[in-house]
């Protein structure tokens, strides 16, 4: 019989969001009249910007005409899209990123996992705790960890706790780690990192030959002008960091699928013979072999984000969700809950009342208010006692959810 990848058996039963969906479905089955409001998974609800839709309709028409029809595109993404990304997302912020260093893809989640294809097996890997579960689970799948302990921590990973005590900014490890996952604005805590904090990480990475995997999927939600949007705003980052970005949250592409990964050509790793090898070439090879690129139509839609109309429309979308975040923060604070995040990120990180566990709070909100959030412990042991509320929903649902929560919660 065929053998399997045993590493999968080390994983906790289900990925966090499907597990939440399973529990919600079970609740709905026994409470068919409940009207559930979902503020759990960070999935967008508002329609695609008009500029993106128009561009995609036009692209579909081009696909219907022999003269303008497109077959396979470049695996790395069309140059016209990569040029706009380089100019507007990076060069406009003083980042020295060339279009050839950008790889357009179908998602940051996929890229965060796929990047492990080009990295060695013996690396020491650091993640924050709590953390976006994909960073951990993909390393488990790749056989980079031992088993999980009772608290869900995997052997072999270095966990860097983040909490209100350290402003949700992990302390630089005292030991040497080879790979560090950083996510700012942070999922799940909604925290951001200052330029100084990121400079300390880049300095550490350069001193130790480490690689920073920087997830900037939520950069568009930053409102504070002093907060960096890209790791490449930090001096030296080209030599130690890969950055992941996405159109999912800023332009509502969660169902449309488009993202990008930046791999600077100056970034190197060590081969087992001790030689230095550019990661760009390896990622390019990986993508050209295992990926055929994002569809022409979707790339045209993503390109429209950079048009004048697209910029105005995506800004309006972001403001809409951030107004939701403000409502959530204000209403829960008024109700006596301690809240974090929600200012430069679409996630509000709530301390559960009376020392309640994250899953107990989840059950309480689900049964009393019919509102779904995400238990903090699902993001790691140090997330226990917290709860994440996503600002991605309609205004009416956010208002209704806050009415129901505050009515049912006596803090
Ligand atoms: C989340 O809720 O954490 C995000 O939606 C996950 C993702 O973007 O994959």
């Amino acid at each position: 019989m065929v053998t399997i990848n045993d590493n999968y058996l080390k994983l906790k039963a289900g990925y966090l969001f499907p597990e939440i969906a399973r529990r919600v479905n079970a609740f709905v089955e026994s409470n068919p009249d409940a009207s559930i409001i979902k503020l759990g998974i960070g999935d967008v609800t508002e329609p695609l910007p008009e500029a993106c839709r128009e561009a995609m309709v036009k692209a579909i028409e081009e696909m219907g005409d022999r003269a303008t029809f497109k077959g396979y595109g470049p695996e790395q993404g069309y140059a016209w899209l990569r040029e706009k990304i380089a100019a507007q997302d990076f060069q406009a912020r003083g980042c020295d990123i060339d279009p050839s260093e950008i790889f357009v893809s179908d998602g940051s989640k996929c890229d965060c996992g796929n990047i492990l294809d080009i990295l060695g097996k013996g690396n020491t890997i650091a993640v924050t705790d709590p953390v976006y579960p994909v960073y951990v689970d993909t390393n488990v799948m790749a056989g980079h960890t031992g088993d999980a302990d009772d608290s869900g921590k995997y052997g072999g990973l270095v966990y860097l706790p983040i909490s209100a005590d350290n402003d949700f900014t992990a302390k630089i490890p005292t030991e040497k780690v080879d790979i560090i996952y950083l996510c700012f604005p942070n999922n799940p805590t909604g925290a951001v990192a200052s330029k100084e904090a990121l400079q300390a990480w880049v300095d550490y990475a350069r001193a130790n030959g480490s690689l920073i995997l920087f997830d900037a999927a939520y950069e568009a939600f930053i409102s504070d002008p002093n907060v960096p949007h890209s790791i490449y705003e930090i001096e030296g980052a080209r030599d130690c960091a890969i950055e992941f970005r996405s159109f999912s949250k800023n332009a509502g592409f969660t169902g449309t699928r488009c993202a990008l990964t930046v791999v600077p050509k100056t970034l190197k790793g060590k081969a087992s013979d001790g030689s230095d090898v550019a990661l760009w070439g390896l990622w390019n090879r990986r993508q050209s072999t295992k990926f055929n690129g994002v569809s022409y139509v979707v790339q045209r839609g993503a390109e429209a984000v950079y048009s004048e109309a697209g910029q105005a429309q995506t800004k309006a979308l972001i403001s809409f969700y951030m107004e939701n975040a403000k409502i959530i923060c204000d209403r829960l604070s008024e109700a006596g809950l301690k809240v974090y995040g929600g200012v430069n990120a679409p996630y509000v990180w709530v301390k559960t009342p009376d020392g309640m566990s994250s899953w107990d709070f989840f059950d309480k909100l689900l049964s009393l208010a019919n509102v779904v959030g995400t238990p903090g412990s699902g993001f790691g042991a140090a997330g226990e006692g917290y709860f994440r509320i996503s600002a991605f929903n309609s205004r009416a649902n956010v208002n209704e959810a806050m009415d129901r929560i505050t009515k049912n919660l006596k803090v």
Side-chain angles (χ1 to χ4, degrees):
M1 193 185 278
V2 68
T3 62
I4 57 145
N5 178 351
D6 274 351
N7 295 311
Y8 278 64
L9 305 180
K10 296 179 196 164
L11 293 165
K12 280 180 276 166
Y15 178 55
L16 176 61
F17 296 107
E19 172 62 16
I20 290 171
R22 195 186 61 73
R23 289 182 185 227
V24 173
N25 291 341
F27 178 81
V28 171
E29 225 161 79
S30 33
N31 301 274
D33 296 333
S35 126
I36 305 284
I37 299 178
K38 292 184 181 168
L39 301 175
I41 189 165
D43 193 5
V44 293
T45 54
E46 302 310 295
L48 287 172
E50 195 181 340
C52 301
R53 278 183 281 134
E54 280 174 1
M56 285 193 273
V57 168
K58 183 164 170 274
I60 286 184
E61 291 306 326
E62 288 176 56
M63 294 296 266
D65 181 341
R66 174 173 290 278
T68 47
F69 172 78
K70 304 273 184 302
Y72 290 125
E75 291 90 356
Q76 216 189 317
Y78 284 98
W80 37 258
L81 175 56
R82 289 185 287 109
E83 278 157 15
K84 294 204 171 69
I85 293 168
Q88 296 191 40
D89 283 345
F90 295 100
Q91 292 159 7
R93 293 197 166 272
C95 307
D96 175 19
I97 294 298
D98 188 79
S100 64
E101 297 175 312
I102 289 162
F103 293 80
V104 176
S105 78
D106 61 349
S108 278
K109 177 162 104 172
C110 325
D111 284 358
C112 283
N114 292 337
I115 200 74
L116 298 179
D117 273 10
I118 66 163
L119 301 173
K121 288 237 178 276
N123 291 309
T124 309
I125 296 155
V127 292
T128 61
D129 182 9
V131 69
Y132 178 43
V134 171
Y135 313 149
V136 171
D137 286 3
T138 53
N139 274 291
V140 175
M141 291 170 178
H144 296 169
T145 72
D147 290 323
D149 66 15
D150 290 344
S151 72
K153 284 186 175 175
Y154 287 93
L157 291 185
V158 175
Y159 287 90
L160 309 170
I162 51 174
S163 67
D165 295 343
N166 57 14
D167 237 352
F168 298 100
T169 310
K171 238 171 80 196
I172 307 273
T174 42
E175 71 262 59
K176 179 178 175 313
V177 299
D178 303 304
I179 298 174
I180 305 138
Y181 287 86
L182 293 179
C183 174
F184 288 112
N186 187 253
N187 180 10
T189 65
V192 285
S194 67
K195 207 161 182 171
E196 294 69 33
L198 290 182
Q199 187 69 62
W201 278 111
V202 167
D203 293 347
Y204 169 88
R206 293 182 77 201
N208 289 281
S210 327
L211 172 67
I212 296 174
L213 295 175
F214 191 78
D215 185 348
Y218 299 95
E219 62 76 33
F221 295 83
I222 294 172
S223 55
D224 181 338
N226 297 316
V227 171
H229 287 234
S230 167
I231 190 77
Y232 304 116
E233 289 176 54
I234 310 302
E235 205 187 318
R238 278 186 58 84
D239 300 327
C240 64
I242 287 176
E243 181 163 310
F244 304 99
R245 287 214 181 183
S246 173
F247 293 93
S248 282
K249 315 289 159 111
N250 64 338
F253 272 45
T254 53
T256 306
R257 311 306 309 149
C258 198
L260 61 115
T261 288
V262 185
V263 185
K265 289 188 169 160
T266 41
L267 185 59
K268 302 225 166 62
K270 276 246 175 294
S272 52
D273 67 2
S275 60
D276 290 351
V277 177
L279 297 186
W280 185 93
L282 301 184
W283 185 242
N284 191 38
R285 185 72 172 82
R286 191 260 171 220
Q287 290 298 82
S288 351
T289 302
K290 293 196 178 181
F291 184 56
N292 264 333
V294 174
S295 79
Y296 172 71
V297 173
V298 168
Q299 289 192 62
R300 281 296 186 200
E303 183 194 27
V305 167
Y306 298 95
S307 66
E308 212 179 304
Q311 286 290 290
Q313 290 159 15
T314 47
K315 275 201 178 78
L317 258 186
I318 291 160
S319 305
F320 173 82
Y321 290 127
M322 289 314 291
E323 181 61 28
N324 282 351
K326 185 173 180 329
I327 292 168
I328 295 167
C329 287
D330 289 351
R331 296 285 311 272
L332 296 184
S333 302
E334 279 160 28
L337 287 166
K338 184 82 192 136
V339 300
Y340 303 93
V343 176
N344 292 291
Y347 295 125
V348 180
W349 189 239
V350 184
K351 184 91 193 92
T352 59
D354 308 322
M356 203 183 285
S357 83
S358 300
W359 278 109
D360 284 351
F361 194 62
F362 173 90
D363 288 336
K364 182 169 177 168
L365 286 198
L366 180 58
S367 58
L368 295 182
N370 298 166
V371 173
V372 179
T374 309
S377 55
F379 296 100
E384 181 55 277
Y386 287 90
F387 196 74
R388 194 192 76 174
I389 298 194
S390 154
F392 292 113
N393 215 312
S394 66
R395 183 62 42 77
N397 274 352
V398 166
N399 282 327
E400 169 70 16
M402 292 307 113
D403 287 347
R404 290 192 206 163
I405 293 176
T406 48
K407 198 172 101 206
N408 285 288
L409 261 190
K410 298 277 166 283
V411 180

